[in-house]
Amino acid sequence: MADPQEILAARVQSALGAALGAEFAETDPVIRPSQFADYQANAALALAKRIGRAPRDVAADIVAQLDVDDLCREVEISGPGFINLTLRDDWIAAQAQALLSDPRAGVPQQDPETVAIDYSAPNVAKEMHVGHLRTTVVGDALARVLEALGHRVVRQNHIGDWGTPFGMLIEHLLDAGEDSPEAELVKTDPNAFYQAAREKFDDSAEFAARARKRVVDLQAGDPETLRLWQELVDLSKVYFNRIYAKLDVTLTDSDLAGESTYNAMLPGICEELERTGIAEISEGALCVFLEGFTGREGRPVPLIVRKSDGGYGYGTTDLATVKYRVEQLGARRLLYVIGAPQSLHLRMVWQTARKAGWLPEGVDPVHVQIGNVLGSDGKILRTRSGKPIRLMELLDEAVERATTVVADNRPDLDEATRASIARDVGIGAVKYADLSVSHDTEYVFDYDRMLALTGNTGPYLQYAAARIRSIFRKGGVDPASAEGPVVLTEPAERELALALLGFGPAVAAVGATLEPHRLCSYLFDLAQAFTAFFEQCPVLQAADPAVRESRFALIAATLQTLVAGLDLLGVRAPEQM
RNA sequence: GCACCUGUAGCUCAGUGGAAAGAGCAUCGGACUUCUAAUCCGACGGUCGCAGGUUCGAAUCCUGCCAGGUGCGCCA
């Protein structure tokens, strides 16, 4: 609604049509933020070449037709033909004030689309690692953002709940006893359970034989085996939900759509692929060979849909997810928030699905590639002993470190309040660190940096919000009662108000690009604009009551935006810090 | 060998074909009698991996090369 860039684009575009002819009325006016003004329009330079005239003359013709008196204070042609646009203070003020009464805080309502998001996807009876952490946090932020934009989001937690390991896991569960402390480990330390099963499998031929038989029983649908399998899944759900609760992730049991969900579809998928000639038997396995996919020594890379032993692999279940999400869920966008190394696999799955007709024109699958999380040594994050780090311990350590910092700085607060702040800050820091860099690149995990109160961190944004709340508390004013009117005089006021207008566009950009770090960058800029304002513009001590009211309105809008933005990222904003 | 990703300040990272490439950290120098100094301001810091090409204009697009990472048939 109040996106200056969009409004200016429309105005400049109609000026283009008026100045240069109707055939230019659709031309992109190329509005960009400017270091010399608020915005600049760069269209004249590109058009000058096309119509064979001097760029500055073209710019002058555009400006002559440009009707922006109601929103621009200054329009200036500069350099080789840039059109610099400076907004009117009263226009910015009115827009910022309008945000206060907008329940959407400027976030646009888009045409609803059904979007399936595949994210998190931990394995039953296995520890979640930092890679799962990142897909969980990024996927959840995307789900929140797309919902905020008005879309119907269907979360799909594709947990690993099927396959050969369940033979040994079930036998180990039986050996240990279903209600034993060993079984309880699945809820708290699943890797300990898994490793124990693995060791027995490796050491005991008798156990291994039982495990293999158990896999056959599982696939055959033996009721008692299925009951034990369900037992393991249920124990794991307890573990997943503990992690999700700690992380403030929106996933629930109703979002679970694990591999086993698709079992019934798999034979039909293979049959159809074979019947249509898309798949063929090779070395005993049913494979799809696609053009352009070659591996070592130029050999074609297969997508194996049925193994030579008759079993199904993840290629088949992934094909089933496409079919299910398109046909049953009616999804028009399929998001796979999955590790970057799976890129080749996914492209093969999608191309196969296209050939088979399961992925119609107009339905776009997107791989939101998640880069690895590295330790300070530049290698994949592990403990000193080389084992993967337990996610719960990692989160606890973040909270613990935050606890120390809060205790040092806020001895005046009672322990329960400090603990609550430490939780919000510690967890927020970890999540924000995952979100604030491009999701597809690797990044270096560093507690000290993510917990810092300076720089582009979660705590810095939380602190900005806490300072605003502190002002309202101290002034005995309810942020909801701040109405303005907003009047801009100080440069820091203007900067802050202008920054506020960028929230809706930033959220829309995340929805379009699926890059949550853009929202982080925006919120960091906003927090910096607020901090500058905080230093220069007293609110409670403002001599003029009108200035005081205006500043209350500005910081109320800032608070609303920061809290809404952090919420879209899944990060809490504590009352005080 | 093939494919994908990455290469930007000492470090961690942004950067929509537009003007003189940005931020944070670190370093150095400043600012608390004033709404939270867990903050802020200033300075320093660059052959945007290399070489070509396209363009009025390239960190951005194309080609080649170099370096690092990842993946490449029955685990998922």
Side-chain angles (χ1 to χ4, degrees), chain A residues 76-152:
Chain A
E76 181 198 22
I77 299 169
S78 153
F82 300 105
I83 300 170
N84 289 347
L85 302 160
T86 304
L87 296 167
R88 291 168 60 129
D89 294 355
D90 58 350
W91 185 83
I92 296 173
Q95 300 302 319
Q97 192 177 329
L99 287 176
L100 274 177
S101 49
D102 178 8
R104 300 185 57 83
V107 176
Q109 170 76 46
Q110 300 179 335
D111 288 340
E113 229 174 34
T114 299
V115 186
I117 310 187
D118 185 318
Y119 70 101
S120 195
N123 291 309
V124 164
K126 262 195 170 176
E127 179 73 29
M128 288 175 78
H129 53 72
V130 286
H132 289 116
L133 171 68
R134 205 169 177 203
T135 108
T136 303
V137 168
V138 170
D140 207 50
L142 291 175
R144 290 167 185 256
V145 166
L146 290 166
E147 274 175 347
L149 289 167
H151 299 295
R152 174 177 168 253

Side-chain angles (χ1 to χ4, degrees), chain A residues 342-360:
Chain A
Q342 307 252 23
S343 164
L344 176 69
H345 169 74
L346 280 179
R347 279 186 292 135
M348 293 184 73
V349 167
W350 297 339
Q351 197 167 317
T352 301
R354 284 265 190 235
K355 273 180 106 165
W358 303 328
L359 192 54

Side-chain angles (χ1 to χ4, degrees), chain A residues 164-178 182 193 196-198 200-201 206-218 222 224-225 228-229 232:
Chain A
T164 48
F166 280 91
M168 73 180 192
L169 291 169
I170 289 171
E171 287 302 320
H172 182 55
L173 177 65
L174 281 174
D175 287 1
E178 289 180 52
E182 183 75 9
F193 183 89
R198 180 84 230 175
K200 272 203 255 175
F201 187 87
E206 181 271 335
F207 181 85
R210 272 197 281 147
R212 289 201 188 88
K213 167 145 193 335
R214 189 58 80 172
V215 175
V216 175
D217 290 345
L218 181 64
D222 170 56
E224 174 64 4
T225 302
L228 291 161
W229 166 80
L232 281 171

Side-chain angles (χ1 to χ4, degrees), chain A residues 7 55 86-87 103 113 195 243 322 351 387 395 413 429 461 465:
Chain A
I7 294 169
T86 304
L87 296 167
E113 229 174 34
Q195 291 300 337
I243 295 276
V322 174
Q351 197 167 317
K387 286 191 288 192
L395 297 176
L413 298 175
L461 299 186

Side-chain angles (χ1 to χ4, degrees), chain A residues 291-341:
Chain A
E291 254 180 73
F293 293 94
T294 52
R296 289 199 186 88
E297 291 131 42
R299 290 178 58 192
V301 178
L303 179 72
I304 297 175
V305 292
R306 194 179 60 222
K307 297 186 285 183
S308 52
D309 68 0
Y312 305 102
Y314 75 134
T316 330
T317 34
D318 283 342
L319 279 168
T321 64
V322 174
K323 217 168 166 339
Y324 174 76
R325 291 167 194 177
V326 170
E327 293 172 7
Q328 304 298 317
L329 300 179
R332 291 193 55 84
R333 283 171 95 185
L334 307 179
L335 272 44
Y336 290 81
V337 187
I338 298 177

